[in-house]
């Protein structure tokens, strides 16, 4: 009974997820709406292909046209064209080899046994990519669905070409997919995740005692930053591919396309993430009970935690600037305020290090490393024309 109730809860959760996705697709642009548009385009392309090949032309192998058309409404116009060429080659190879085997043997079973090993090997040819599987499937359709003749073979190839043309044309002419929004979403997500990591470290330093649980949490958050970076790299590649042909189409207007953050922003956050990981590693070493170095003084670490909190606030302001291409004045003000606070706290901590009477030797060694790492984060967060950073900062 309990297992059944658990399954019902899962089904209800999935139903709510589907409903929420549908609501988001209706309300605003996003991944859900993109998926809806591409699905409707694929269905429309298949319907149009069948209307031409099956209803109008009444072709005996009309299935080939909608079958190819629905597959070739890909995530980008470039991919539709490239995959279409691969698929046509695979279909042609499968069809011709099947027809040749039937002509030689005159028996369907013998032809299948003869041709399938060959086309299965050819389907793994790297130049056919993931479209190679259409070679053996087409060979099977050719041998089992109708009498094999020069007429049916030529019709099968022509219908495949018709379906490819319709699928590619529908994808290019009707709301051609341009994946620019995902870059901004992933870049903003990386900034928010960096903010969260710095905030968690700051909370531990200012409020909690050292513990293995805290260090484990920092490692987990650092790992999530790497996942965000991979997602950002993937989104950037998709955006480049989606513009390879779409931007050159006469009916595409760059004025209608959302602004794309520059790749220098990817590099900025890559440098910030590297320094945040370095801070996490240093603090994890301090939290280790078997550490070889002496523990630093508690008060300077509390002050450093407040410095990390200010850096987290600067990350939040940067994330707001990424999420809103218009660059609102409030986000700029928040960034300036956070960087001013970073500068004051950094200067105060640096002054403590120069006063050997107020801090221990262990504090000077550890805090000096942490300050260099924080200064590098500060340097990358600050605008190029901000006066508070030193251009010659050297990364640790």
């Amino acid at each position: 009974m309990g297992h059944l109730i658990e399954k019902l809860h899962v089904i209800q959760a999935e139903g709510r997820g589907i409903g929420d996705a549908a609501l988001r697709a209706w309300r605003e642009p996003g991944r859900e709406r993109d998926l809806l548009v591409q699905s409707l385009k694929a269905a429309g392309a298949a319907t149009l292909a069948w209307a031409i090949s099956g209803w109008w032309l009444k072709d005996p192998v009309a299935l080939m046209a909608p079958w190819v058309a629905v597959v070739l409404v890909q995530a980008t116009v470039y991919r539709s064209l490239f995959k279409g060429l691969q698929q046509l080659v695979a279909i042609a190879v499968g069809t011709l080899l099947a027809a040749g085997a039937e002509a030689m043997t005159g028996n369907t079973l013998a032809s299948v046994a003869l041709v399938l090993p060959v086309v299965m090997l050819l389907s793994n040819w790297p130049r056919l990519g993931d479209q190679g599987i259409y070679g053996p499937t087409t060979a099977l359709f050719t041998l089992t669905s109708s009498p094999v003749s020069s007429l049916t073979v030529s019709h099968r190839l022509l219908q495949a070409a018709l379906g490819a043309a319709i699928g590619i044309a529908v994808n290019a002419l009707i709301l051609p997919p341009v994946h620019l929004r995902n870059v901004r979403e992933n870049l903003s997500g990386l900034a928010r995740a960096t903010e969260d990591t710095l905030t968690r470290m700051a909370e531990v330093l200012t409020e909690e005692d050292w513990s293995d649980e805290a260090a484990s949490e920092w490692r987990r958050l650092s790992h999530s930053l790497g996942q965000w970076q991979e997602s950002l790299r993937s989104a950037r590649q998709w955006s480049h591919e989606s513009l390879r042909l779409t931007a050159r189409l006469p009916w595409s207007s760059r004025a209608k396309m959302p602004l794309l953050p520059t790749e220098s922003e990817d590099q900025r956050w890559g440098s910030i993430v590297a320094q945040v990981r370095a801070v996490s590693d240093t603090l994890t070493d301090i939290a280790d009970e078997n550490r070889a170095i002496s523990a630093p003084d508690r008060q300077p670490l509390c002050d450093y935690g407040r410095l990390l909190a200010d850096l987290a606030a600067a990350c939040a302001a940067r994330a707001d600037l990424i999420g809103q291409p218009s660059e609102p004045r409030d986000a700029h003000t928040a960034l300036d305020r956070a960087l001013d606070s970073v500068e004051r706290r950094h200067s105060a901590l640096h002054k403590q290090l120069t006063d050997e009477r107020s801090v221990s030797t262990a504090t000077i060694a550890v805090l000096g490393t942490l300050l260099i790492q924080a200064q590098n984060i500060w340097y990358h967060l600050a605008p190029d024309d901000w006066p508070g950073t030193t251009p010659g900062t050297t990364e640790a």
Side-chain angles (χ1 to χ4, degrees):
M1 186 66 180
H3 186 62
L4 179 60
I5 293 175
E6 184 179 349
K7 280 190 173 182
L8 288 175
H9 286 319
V10 171
I11 293 173
Q12 289 176 350
E14 290 180 350
R16 284 194 299 269
I18 294 172
D20 292 342
L23 192 60
R24 286 193 297 271
W26 174 262
R27 285 180 173 176
E28 59 186 3
R31 296 179 184 178
E32 292 82 4
R33 183 176 293 182
D34 292 342
L35 180 61
L36 175 63
V37 169
Q38 286 300 101
S39 299
L40 292 177
K41 285 167 62 176
T47 303
L48 178 60
W50 176 258
I52 294 174
S53 60
W55 177 71
W56 183 34
L57 298 178
K58 301 188 185 305
D59 196 285
V61 288
L63 173 64
M64 288 299 298
W67 179 40
V68 173
V70 76
V71 173
L72 289 185
V73 180
Q74 294 280 328
T76 66
V77 175
Y78 172 80
R79 185 158 298 217
S80 287
L81 182 60
F82 185 67
K83 297 288 186 183
L85 293 174
Q86 289 180 320
Q87 189 177 128
L88 286 177
V89 171
I91 289 174
V93 169
T95 301
L96 294 175
L97 287 179
E102 176 69 19
M104 286 187 349
T105 64
N107 180 274
T108 300
L109 179 59
S111 299
V112 169
L114 180 65
V115 78
L116 275 186
V118 178
V119 290
M120 283 302 301
L121 287 173
L122 287 174
S123 70
N124 295 304
W125 187 28
R127 291 194 178 277
L128 293 179
D130 57 1
Q131 303 300 303
I133 191 62
Y134 289 100
T137 55
T138 303
L140 281 173
F141 284 151
T142 301
L143 292 170
T144 60
S145 62
S146 61
V148 182
S149 65
S150 59
L151 180 63
T152 58
V153 168
S154 61
H155 276 234
R156 191 174 296 277
L157 295 178
L158 289 173
Q159 289 300 314
L162 174 64
I166 291 174
I168 294 169
V170 166
N171 205 28
L173 294 172
I174 303 175
L175 299 176
V178 179
H179 299 273
L180 303 184
R181 191 184 304 109
N182 290 348
V183 172
R184 188 175 298 280
E185 290 176 353
N186 280 282
L187 191 58
S188 179
L190 176 59
R192 296 294 182 191
T194 306
E195 173 201 354
D196 185 46
T197 303
L198 290 171
T199 299
R200 285 296 302 133
M201 289 191 287
E203 289 173 352
V204 172
L205 289 174
T206 56
E207 298 176 6
E208 302 175 9
D209 294 329
W210 295 110
S211 66
D212 292 337
E213 290 77 10
S216 176
E217 176 73 1
W218 295 335
R219 284 192 293 268
R220 184 189 67 79
L221 292 172
S222 296
H223 180 67
S224 71
L225 294 181
Q227 292 176 329
W228 275 109
Q229 285 183 290
E230 287 299 321
S231 296
L232 176 58
R233 276 191 284 269
S234 176
R236 184 69 71 173
Q237 290 172 357
W238 274 105
S239 71
H240 284 246
E241 181 178 307
S242 66
L243 289 173
R244 291 185 70 172
L245 292 177
T246 307
R248 297 188 180 94
L249 296 176
W251 50 87
S252 295
S253 173
R254 282 188 176 273
K256 298 178 182 178
M257 296 181 183
L259 294 175
L260 188 67
T262 62
E263 294 192 32
S264 62
E265 282 297 303
D266 301 5
Q267 298 167 2
R268 177 197 301 276
W269 285 99
S271 300
I272 291 171
V273 166
Q275 293 304 314
V276 170
R277 284 176 171 171
V279 172
S280 175
D281 290 342
T282 303
L283 293 177
T284 300
D285 289 340
I286 296 172
D288 187 359
E289 295 180 355
N290 300 318
R291 57 181 174 264
I293 60 174
S294 302
D297 298 334
R298 182 66 181 149
Q299 187 56 47
L301 285 178
C302 289
D303 294 338
Y304 187 78
R306 297 185 182 95
L307 173 61
L308 292 184
D310 291 334
L311 288 171
C315 286
R318 273 283 182 187
D320 290 339
L321 291 175
I322 294 169
Q324 303 181 41
S326 59
E327 296 191 355
R329 184 179 298 275
D330 290 346
H332 281 291
T333 302
L335 179 60
D336 290 342
R337 189 184 300 117
L339 292 175
D340 285 336
S341 183
V342 167
E343 183 178 15
R344 288 194 301 272
R345 293 193 190 279
H346 188 277
S347 298
L349 282 168
H350 189 271
K351 187 175 181 181
Q352 286 187 44
L353 288 182
T354 61
D355 186 0
E356 297 181 359
R357 294 171 298 177
S358 62
V359 293
S360 65
T361 304
T363 300
I364 293 174
V366 173
L367 196 61
T369 300
L370 290 172
L371 280 180
I372 291 174
Q373 294 161 350
Q375 185 176 1
N376 286 324
I377 298 173
W378 169 25
Y379 171 74
H380 290 295
L381 283 171
D384 295 337
D385 58 350
W386 203 77
T389 54
T390 304
T393 303
T394 303
E395 294 187 9

